[in-house]
């Protein structure tokens, strides 16, 4: 599991929880942006960051739950269950499993934006 590696890349303590707030796609899916949160504990202030994948070539998306919007039309956050960051230049795909969806994507570059 690469959640520890992701924590290290962001300079964070490894025992927290990663969450996805939203996903954006650009260029007909050739770029994907994940607006994310990291919570060390439920009472701590969340750390926000974006996981950006560019030059995506193959995407497999699986939805595991039918989500309902809240009254204000927002969706709940999805908690990371398992993560494998893969390798850039399309060598190994990223695998992300959350409690709502699973994603496998072959990408050219991965960027973390704090």
């Amino acid at each position: 599991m690469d959640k520890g590696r992701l924590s290290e890349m962001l300079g964070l303590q490894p025992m927290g929880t990663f969450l996805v707030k939203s996903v954006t796609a650009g260029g007909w899916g050739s770029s994907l942006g994940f607006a994310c949160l990291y919570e060390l504990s439920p009472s701590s202030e969340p750390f926000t960051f974006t996981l950006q994948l560019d030059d995506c070539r193959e995407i497999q998306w699986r939805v595991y739950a039918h989500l309902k919007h809240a009254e204000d039309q927002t969706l709940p956050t999805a908690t990371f269950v398992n993560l494998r960051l893969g390798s850039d230049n399309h060598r190994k795909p990223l695998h992300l499993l959350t409690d709502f969806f699973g994603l496998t994507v072959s990408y050219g570059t991965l960027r973390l934006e704090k």
Side-chain angles (χ1 to χ4, degrees):
M1 190 176 315
D2 285 353
K3 289 194 285 186
R5 185 171 152 214
L6 183 57
S7 299
E8 184 180 303
M9 291 168 71
L10 291 166
L12 302 168
Q13 295 180 10
M15 301 310 291
T17 303
F18 287 98
L19 306 154
V20 178
K21 287 177 29 174
S22 65
V23 179
T24 56
W28 297 106
S30 66
S31 68
L32 294 174
F34 299 85
C36 299
L37 299 172
Y38 176 80
E39 294 179 339
L40 192 53
S41 70
S43 61
S44 68
E45 184 70 27
F47 175 81
T48 60
F49 68 97
T50 301
L51 189 148
Q52 182 69 40
L53 299 173
D54 293 313
D55 191 21
C56 299
R57 296 211 181 141
E58 184 175 332
I59 300 170
Q60 296 175 3
W61 188 271
R62 296 162 302 281
V63 177
Y64 297 119
H66 297 285
L67 301 176
K68 295 187 178 172
H69 289 83
E71 287 183 27
D72 63 358
Q73 295 300 308
T74 58
L75 288 171
T77 57
T79 303
F80 282 41
V81 174
N82 198 349
L83 172 68
R84 298 236 186 263
L85 292 173
S87 298
D88 60 0
N89 292 322
H90 312 282
R91 291 178 293 190
K92 289 183 184 175
L94 175 139
H95 297 280
L96 173 61
L97 176 64
T98 74
D99 50 352
F100 295 137
F101 67 89
L103 175 72
T104 300
V105 58
S106 171
Y107 63 91
T109 58
L110 179 147
R111 237 178 26 252
L112 296 173
E113 299 171 357
K114 298 179 185 181

